[in-house]
Each structure stands twice: as structure tokens, then as C-alpha cells.
Amino acid sequence: MLAFLPGFRPGLVHSMFSSISSRIIAATIVLVVICSGSFLLLSMKEHEAIYKDTVIGHLEALSGNLAEDLVPILGDEDAPLELATKLLDLEVYEHVKYALVFDDKGQLVQRYLAPAFMREAHPGQKLPSFDLDDVSPGVQIIKGELVAYRPIGDLAYTLGYLLIVNEYQEPLGQSNMALVVSSLPIALSILVVMIALTVTLNWHLLSPLTQLARFTNSIDSSSNYHLRVECQGDDEVSNLGKNINAMLSRIEAQSDKNQEYTDALEQQQRALKKLANYDTLTNLPNRKFLMEALRIDLARSKRKQTNLMILFLDLDNFKGINDSLGHEAGDALLIRVSKLITKQLREGDVLARLGGDEFLVLLNDIEDQVVSLGIKVAERIISVLEDPIMLGEWEVQTGVSIGIADAISSDYDPETIIRNADMAMYQAKESGRNTYALFQQELQAQTMRKMVIANSLGKAIQDSEFCVNYHVKVGLNGRVNGLEALIRWPSSAHGMISPAEFIPVAEHSGKITAISRWVLQRVFSDSAEIFAITSEPLVVSINLSAYDIKDPNFIEFIRDQIVMHKVSASNFEFEITESAYLDNFDEAIEFIRQLREMGFSIALDDFGTGYSSLSYLTQLAIDTLKVDQKFVRVMEQSPRDRMIIEAIISLAHRLELNVCAEGVETAQQMDFLAEQGVHQLQGYYFSKPCPLDDMANCIMDLHRSRKLAIH
Ligand code: C2E
Ligand code: MG
Ligand code: MG
């Protein structure tokens, strides 16, 4: 029903009665109203009964007295006026509506109508008729009226009958109303007093409960489990408060514990995330992190049609430093280098460590000038790493080779851009280290060619597509005293391929040991023919790769070949490049020791280019240093390179090593080197490498030529 009231909201009633206090007040009001109502009803009932008895008593008395007064009048037949007058006595009775007097035969003799009744009655309205036979003497209620019926005179000599009709319902209603009106103020006062009492009681009894409720609400909203409710006394609410406090203490302890667990878990998560995404040594992002960042940045660049650039960095000479000074120094170097590089970058650029001594720089959000920016950053990094770095008491000289590739020419593909930068980095390494190279499509062509070569090598080894040329080495007496075996690959599919091109490919594709074994077998089997060319002592040199040193079966293979070809080890020399022993220094020492034990001599090939520490020389048991042809080639124009040659030769003398200078192309070079005290010379000035079949003529020509007149 309430729902139809204007402005009624269903939630209103609910919120009104949501508190215990308002519910108690409402219940009290309802109770008081019910009690008061019941009391009033009972009072009215009682009042009605008393009223009825009183009115009946009065009517009985009135009708009795009037009937007695009518006896003499009704006996006198001539006194009808007196009868009417007598009946007028009824006027003083407010509620008598009318009265009827009948004779002994039941005929109406006289009637009296109260003036009020007459006024209210309609004109022509008949008096209610009563069948006198149904009416018994006395007072009774008939059809809602109080009817008094009395015989006039003695029962034995009845003169007539008197019937008085008295109003009953209306006066009763008025009386009841008067009762209600008189008792209403009392009932209302009781109601107000009860409500006031209830509110006060409520206030006193429920306020601790309300406070408790407010307190729990504040805990719920703030989640502050340090709060405590104040509770004195020993009543139910205080006990409830104490229980809540105890519960809070437990929750607090549990939540502290949970917080500790959560902190530990978060810490673990952070550590795991860091481990997964960052390099533990340098704290730089690792390869995984970088690849994700690169993928996102490339996708963004592609969308925005901008470019980005990556720099692939590989430290020069890191392996050497790591091996000679130990891993701790190597680690310290990586940390220092990473810090130095970071300083050269802008905010937003990413420097990641890919592993080992490989780093990658990601230059982001480049609108234009992309290449020049990449070069600028590369130059800055190269320049900062050119200065020697102090590692404790050691001063180390490192350097960096950098490959640069951009997103557009790599088709916005993460793997391609890294591969391109890697290719460019190798290009930089090959072109002398401590420099940078930009990725260009030709580089890709070169890489393709390397792949083709790698694929063809397997078949070439199978089909023995190779041959060996020999290059003479000349002593200071002008006589040929050595030959260097140099492999040649006249490929049936690709024409003549230089060893400078296919040997690195063979090394990277794992085919070099097979090639080295093939060369060794070929040279040993050629040896009878070689030593028959001249009666003078000759030492034949064979080049070895870094991978041969790592091959655990290679020494055994050589031993078998010596026996098989019945050769003497003292007639042979192995040339090992600096990079070969720098990469595996400990293995190289052992490898060289075993070769020397067998009787072979050892030459360090291309000496001076491999960034090796000079301290290596004291640890390696070698016989000869081969000065790299790069120094020889430029010595006439470069005083600096001349000084390096002088230093190498002087060092070799002090270490009592032989020196062979390779790449001699002019008489001046020959003269200078001879003057400095090299023991052996090799180069196109004397002869180009030639097949064994031509070697006899070659040596003969050489011996006859003026070139021999060194001194
Ligand atoms: P390398 O051992 O330093 O050999 C010297 C290279 O310089 C040879 O090139 C030789 O032909 C070239 N050369 C000698 N004198 C001169 C000169 O006066 N001017 C110029 N411009 N070049 C000169 P080649 O034969 O092309 O060999 C290149 C490299 O390939 C060799 O350098 C060596 O590292 C490697 N190699 C050659 N044969 C073998 C082999 O059988 N096994 C292994 N592992 N490597 C080999
Ligand atoms: Mg050599
Ligand atoms: Mg060489």
C-alpha cells in the first residue's frame, strides 16, 4: 500500500528500520498503540454494559412509575386529556422517543412522541410497529431500540399496556465517543511517555552497541587492524567488544604474517623477473628483454613509418684479457665497459648484454638522419673504449667492433635486423677491429656466398676437390729453407676460391678439422717429393686452425700420420695464428707442448694483429714469430708500423725466437727486414705460392735470380 504514496522509496522503509534502535522504537509504539487500543476497547465494552444496565434500570423504573401513575387515569373513561398530559411528563427524558398506551384489548389509546423525534421524523413516517404478542413485559432491546412494555394495573385486572421506546444506539455511541475523547489525552500521554522512555533507554543501552557498530564500520572501510575498541564493564556489549578486539589482534597478527609472505613473494617475483630479463653481472637488460623491446619498438616504428637502428657490439680482445687476467678481471671489464657505453647513450636508448662480450644498443624513435645518428653513437662508443681501462693494478686495452643495421632495410623484422647488425659487426672485425661497419645489401650477398660455400664444402671434402700450393721461405743466406703449404680450392661449381674466404667458413661450419686433416695427409704424402727437390734442409710449414687445437683426437691423428707416412717430425712446422691460441690459451699450451714433444717446431702466424698480451709469449713454447704481412705492406709509408716491426724483431731476439717476415713484396722491404735481423723472409718478391710440380723450377729460378743477393 505504501508503494502508492507519492515520493515513496522502497529502500526508505528498509533504511528506516535497519537499525535496532528504530526497530525497538517502532515495536514500542505498536505495542503501546495495541495496548491502549485494547484497553480502550475493553473499557468501552465495560462502559456499554454498565450503560445498558443503567439505562434499562432507569427505563424499568420510569415505565413502572408511569404505569402506576396511569392506573387511575386509564380507569377514568373521561380523562383522555389527563392521559395525554401525563404522558407529557416524558419530555424531560431526553432519550425517550415515544410512548404508546393501549387499552386492555390492545387498542391504542394515547401516544406520546418526543419533540426531538418528531423533528427528525419525516412527515408521514409511521411509528415502528410492534406485535404486542411478541413483546414480553419488561425492558428489552428490539430492532436496536430499548423497549419497555408494562401492563397497567394489576395483572389480574389489567387496564391496559404502556410501551415506551427509548433511544439506545445513538446515546450509547455518544457515550462511547465521550469515553474515547476523555481517555485519548491519557492514551497519547502514555504513548509519548513510553516513546520517550524507549528512546532514552535505547540511547543508554544501545549506544555502546552503536559505537561498536561504528567502530567495525571504520575498520571495514579503512582495513586498519591496529584499531581497538574501548570496552569497560562486563555486560554483553563490553564482552562483544573484547571479543572483537581479540579477533582483531588475531587478524592483525595473521595479516602481518600475510604481509610478510606477500613481501617475500613480491621480492621473489621481482628477483625472478630481474633474473629472467636482466643480466646479473652488468644489470643490463638481457637478450630476452631486448628481443621483446625490439619487437614492440619495430612494430611501433612500422606503424608510424619511422626508423630505428641497432648497434651490435663485440669487444675486441676480451677472450685474451679473460684468459690472461682471470674471470674476475673479465667480469670487472664487462661492468666497466657497460657503464662507459651507457654514458654515451640518450635516455630511451636501450643497452642490452646479449651474452659473453656481446652487447646491443637500440636507438629508438628516429625520424631521419638515422644512419648518421647510428654512426655518431658508434664513434662515441669506439672512442671511449679506445682509452686503456684500469682493472685494479692492471691496465687493459680493449676495443670494440660495431655492426650497425636499421629497421627499414631489415623489413622491420627483429631477427633480420639482429642478423644484419651481426653480419656488419663481423665485417667490422674483419676490417681490422675497433671500428664499425654499416649493414649493406652487399653484405647480405657476401653472407649468401658464405652460405653457398659452407654448403659446397662438404661435397668438396668428400670429392677431395682441394690441392696444395707451396710458398717458399728464404733464409738470410739467400737459400730457400722452408715451404709453407697453402690449400687451394679449385671448386668445380664456383671456380677458384681463396682459403682466406673458405677457411673461416669451414671454421664456422665445423668442417675445418676435416680440411686440416686432408692438408696434413697431403703434405706428408708429398714430403718424399718435396725433400727430393733440393739437397738443402727444408722445413715444411702447415697452417692450423683454432678448431684443430680444440679437437681432442687431432694429436693422435698426427701421430698416426707420422707412422703411416714414415716422416720425421723435425722436418715440419705448424703455424698457429694468434687468435687460435688466444681463444683457448690453456688448451693451446698443452697442444703445442705435445707437438714439440713429437719433434715439430711451432711458428706463431700473423703475429702482432691479434691483440695478444706479450706475456703469452713467455708461456708458449714456440720457435718462430711470423711478423704479419700487414705491417710489412705499409712499413715504407708508416714509421709507426716500422717501429712495431723493429719491436717485434727485438722482442723475438730477446726471447731467442726466430723471426719470419711474410708479405715481402719489394727489395726495400727485404733490405729493411734483413737489416733488422729477421731470420727468414717470405713473399711475392721471391715467388708466388706454386704447385709442387712447379716447385723445382721455382726454387731453381729463385736461386739464380738477383733477389738472392741479400748480403
Ligand atoms: P697465412 O698463413 O698468413 O698465409 C699467407 C698468405 O699470404 C697466403 O695467402 C699467401 O699467399 C699470402 N702471401 C704471401 N706472401 C704475400 C705477399 O707478398 N703479398 C701478398 N699480397 N700476399 C702474400 P693464401 O694462400 O690466400 O692464404 C690465406 C690464409 O689462409 C693463410 O694466411 C692461412 O691463414 C689460411 N690458410 C691457407 N692454407 C691453409 C691451410 O691449409 N690450413 C689452414 N688452417 N689455413 C690455411
Ligand atoms: Mg701461415
Ligand atoms: Mg700469415
Side-chain angles (χ1 to χ4, degrees):
M1 204 173 88
L2 284 169
F4 298 107
L5 291 176
F8 172 77
R9 280 182 291 124
L12 195 69
V13 176
H14 181 261
S15 64
M16 263 171 65
F17 293 103
S18 62
S19 83
I20 295 177
S21 170
S22 47
R23 270 187 241 163
I24 288 178
I25 291 171
T28 309
I29 292 171
V30 169
L31 206 66
V32 170
V33 167
I34 290 173
C35 286
S36 312
S38 310
F39 181 72
L40 205 63
L41 272 178
L42 280 175
S43 305
M44 278 165 70
K45 277 262 177 253
E46 192 58 26
H47 174 79
E48 211 175 296
I50 293 168
Y51 179 87
K52 186 180 166 189
D53 287 352
T54 311
V55 172
I56 288 174
H58 285 161
L59 198 59
E60 263 178 352
L62 175 66
S63 60
N65 289 340
L66 192 60
E68 265 178 37
D69 290 348
L70 289 179
V71 171
I73 299 167
L74 205 63
D76 186 355
E77 283 175 12
D78 303 324
L81 188 64
E82 205 178 338
L83 182 60
T85 313
K86 189 66 194 171
L87 287 179
L88 282 176
D89 289 351
L90 291 172
E91 268 185 1
V92 295
Y93 298 100
E94 193 188 350
H95 298 301
V96 172
K97 284 172 81 176
Y98 60 91
L100 302 175
V101 178
F102 302 93
D103 63 12
D104 57 344
K105 293 182 186 72
Q107 291 298 310
L108 181 68
V109 182
Q110 191 55 274
R111 66 178 188 179
Y112 160 78
L113 292 175
F117 180 68
M118 281 198 341
R119 273 196 304 276
E120 284 169 19
H122 311 293
Q125 182 183 345
K126 282 187 180 171
L127 292 175
S129 62
F130 296 98
D131 189 350
L132 293 179
D133 293 338
D134 294 343
V135 184
S136 45
V139 178
Q140 57 233 279
I141 297 168
I142 303 172
K143 296 179 187 167
E145 309 279 18
L146 206 57
V147 178
Y149 184 60
R150 287 227 169 238
I152 304 166
D154 255 1
L155 278 177
Y157 302 101
T158 308
L159 295 175
Y161 298 94
L162 171 65
L163 187 134
I164 301 173
V165 176
N166 199 57
E167 271 188 324
Y168 179 66
Q169 290 299 347
E170 200 182 319
L172 180 64
Q174 283 168 358
S175 177
N176 274 345
M177 183 54 72
L179 180 72
V180 169
V181 168
S182 64
S183 37
L184 203 63
I186 301 168
L188 282 176
S189 309
I190 292 171
L191 188 67
V192 169
V193 169
M194 286 303 284
I195 289 172
L197 209 66
T198 314
V199 169
T200 319
L201 268 176
N202 244 349
W203 174 254
H204 281 295
L205 294 178
L206 291 181
S207 73
L209 204 60
T210 317
Q211 277 173 14
L212 207 58
R214 244 182 256 133
F215 170 75
T216 50
N217 276 346
S218 73
I219 287 181
D220 183 41
S221 57
S222 68
S223 300
N224 180 0
Y225 302 112
H226 303 292
L227 296 176
R228 293 292 178 273
V229 64
E230 247 182 71
C231 37
Q232 292 144 352
D234 208 18
D235 56 12
E236 288 88 339
V237 179
S238 303
N239 283 339
L240 184 62
K242 284 174 196 164
N243 287 344
I244 288 176
N245 281 348
M247 213 159 70
L248 281 172
S249 301
R250 278 200 296 278
I251 291 175
E252 193 184 354
Q254 193 59 45
S255 118
D256 285 351
K257 229 185 237 173
N258 287 351
Q259 190 58 48
E260 273 172 35
Y261 287 142
T262 314
D263 288 349
L265 263 173
E266 279 176 359
Q267 217 172 337
Q268 271 176 8
Q269 256 176 349
R270 275 197 298 275
L272 276 176
K273 203 172 163 198
K274 197 146 192 225
L275 264 181
N277 290 298
Y278 287 85
D279 170 46
T280 42
L281 178 69
T282 56
N283 270 335
L284 291 177
N286 61 13
R287 181 184 284 271
K288 180 176 170 283
F289 181 100
L290 178 102
M291 287 310 288
E292 276 164 24
L294 189 62
R295 217 159 270 143
I296 293 165
D297 290 349
L298 281 171
R300 196 182 49 213
S301 289
K302 192 174 181 181
R303 234 182 5 256
K304 287 165 53 184
Q305 281 303 297
T306 54
N307 205 352
L308 68 76
M309 176 139 282
I310 65 166
L311 275 59
F312 198 114
L313 282 68
D314 188 289
L315 294 188
D316 298 329
N317 196 30
F318 176 72
K319 180 87 183 155
I321 294 167
N322 215 21
D323 286 348
S324 57
L325 300 183
H327 290 282
E328 273 180 29
D331 287 353
L333 178 68
L334 288 173
I335 294 168
R336 291 287 296 281
V337 162
S338 66
K339 284 185 181 153
L340 286 170
I341 299 173
T342 307
K343 280 189 193 150
Q344 308 311 311
L345 304 177
R346 301 169 309 174
E347 208 172 307
D349 295 340
V350 181
L351 170 66
R353 182 177 171 220
L354 300 184
D357 58 349
E358 285 180 350
F359 295 86
L360 202 137
V361 174
L362 171 59
L363 305 175
N364 240 320
D365 281 335
I366 299 164
E367 296 294 343
D368 49 23
Q369 301 293 311
V370 61
V371 176
S372 62
L373 179 75
I375 291 174
K376 236 184 261 170
V377 177
E379 281 173 344
R380 280 209 302 269
I381 294 172
I382 288 169
S383 143
V384 80
L385 293 183
E386 252 167 8
D387 299 332
I389 294 174
M390 289 303 295
L391 294 180
E393 65 216 48
W394 297 97
E395 185 183 273
V396 297
Q397 181 73 55
T398 181
V400 64
S401 301
I402 302 177
I404 307 172
D406 74 306
I408 295 173
S409 54
S410 309
D411 214 11
Y412 294 101
D413 179 58
E415 270 81 29
T416 310
I417 193 172
I418 290 196
R419 200 175 47 241
N420 290 350
D422 191 18
M423 274 188 244
M425 188 277 291
Y426 271 103
Q427 171 93 345
K429 277 245 187 269
E430 278 170 20
S431 57
R433 302 181 175 215
N434 211 24
T435 184
Y436 64 84
L438 280 169
F439 170 77
Q440 274 146 0
Q441 292 305 326
E442 304 86 73
L443 199 56
Q444 204 161 19
Q446 283 173 25
T447 311
M448 284 302 293
R449 180 165 163 85
K450 278 183 189 162
M451 280 167 65
V452 169
I453 290 174
N455 286 339
S456 313
L457 266 173
K459 196 165 177 300
I461 294 167
Q462 229 175 20
D463 299 350
S464 274
E465 267 193 348
F466 307 103
C467 59
V468 170
N469 276 1
Y470 292 91
H471 198 203
V472 292
K473 294 181 182 179
V474 184
L476 284 183
N477 57 3
R479 311 296 294 175
V480 172
N481 61 7
L483 295 178
E484 179 177 0
L486 294 164
I487 191 167
R488 294 290 175 261
W489 181 17
S491 162
S492 53
H494 312 289
M496 182 63 91
I497 303 173
S498 148
E501 189 178 7
F502 75 81
I503 292 287
V505 178
E507 285 179 335
H508 287 119
S509 57
K511 295 181 176 106
I512 188 66
T513 31
I515 292 175
S516 300
R517 287 172 190 224
W518 183 89
V519 173
L520 188 94
Q521 278 174 310
R522 167 45 50 94
V523 173
F524 278 8
S525 61
D526 282 349
S527 61
E529 208 178 319
I530 293 170
F531 297 122
I533 293 173
T534 167
S535 54
E536 293 174 54
L538 273 184
V539 173
V540 181
S541 305
I542 299 168
N543 289 287
L544 288 183
S545 154
Y547 293 83
D548 298 325
I549 293 175
K550 287 185 208 159
D551 179 2
N553 304 319
F554 199 65
I555 292 284
E556 220 35 56
F557 174 79
I558 297 171
R559 263 192 243 281
D560 292 348
Q561 292 302 312
I562 292 173
V563 175
M564 194 183 293
H565 294 97
K566 301 187 182 72
V567 294
S568 161
S570 59
N571 292 327
F572 297 91
E573 179 185 65
F574 285 107
E575 294 190 8
I576 301 169
T577 53
E578 258 183 295
S579 59
Y581 68 78
L582 281 179
D583 284 351
N584 337 271
F585 191 65
D586 294 335
E587 281 167 305
I589 290 179
E590 179 56 19
F591 186 83
I592 289 170
R593 190 192 62 74
Q594 294 195 50
L595 287 181
R596 280 174 61 93
E597 212 175 69
M598 282 187 253
F600 293 105
S601 44
I602 307 292
L604 284 193
D605 206 354
D606 305 340
F607 186 78
T609 54
Y611 299 87
S612 63
S613 158
L614 292 179
S615 67
Y616 281 126
L617 289 180
T618 57
Q619 296 174 56
L620 289 168
I622 53 165
D623 306 278
T624 305
L625 280 187
K626 285 189 81 175
V627 180
D628 194 82
Q629 53 178 289
K630 279 179 200 129
F631 301 114
V632 177
R633 195 182 307 140
V634 293
M635 58 181 266
E636 282 157 80
Q637 303 85 44
S638 161
R640 197 182 147 95
D641 285 277
R642 275 204 302 279
M643 276 163 66
I644 292 174
I645 292 172
E646 282 169 26
I648 293 174
I649 294 169
S650 139
L651 178 78
H653 285 167
R654 281 161 192 256
L655 292 171
E656 297 179 349
L657 299 174
N658 288 326
V659 187
C660 172
E662 55 183 349
V664 180
E665 291 188 356
T666 65
Q668 289 79 4
Q669 289 169 350
M670 178 190 70
D671 289 339
F672 175 80
L673 291 162
E675 222 168 88
Q676 292 305 314
V678 296
H679 304 92
Q680 214 174 22
L681 293 150
Q682 189 183 12
Y684 291 175
Y685 178 67
F686 304 103
S687 153
K688 286 206 168 174
C690 60
L692 186 57
D693 292 344
D694 303 339
M695 190 46 74
N697 288 336
C698 172
I699 293 178
M700 220 184 304
D701 290 348
L702 188 60
H703 282 173
R704 276 203 216 111
S705 72
R706 288 190 293 127
K707 289 171 197 162
L708 295 169
I710 292 172
H711 284 292

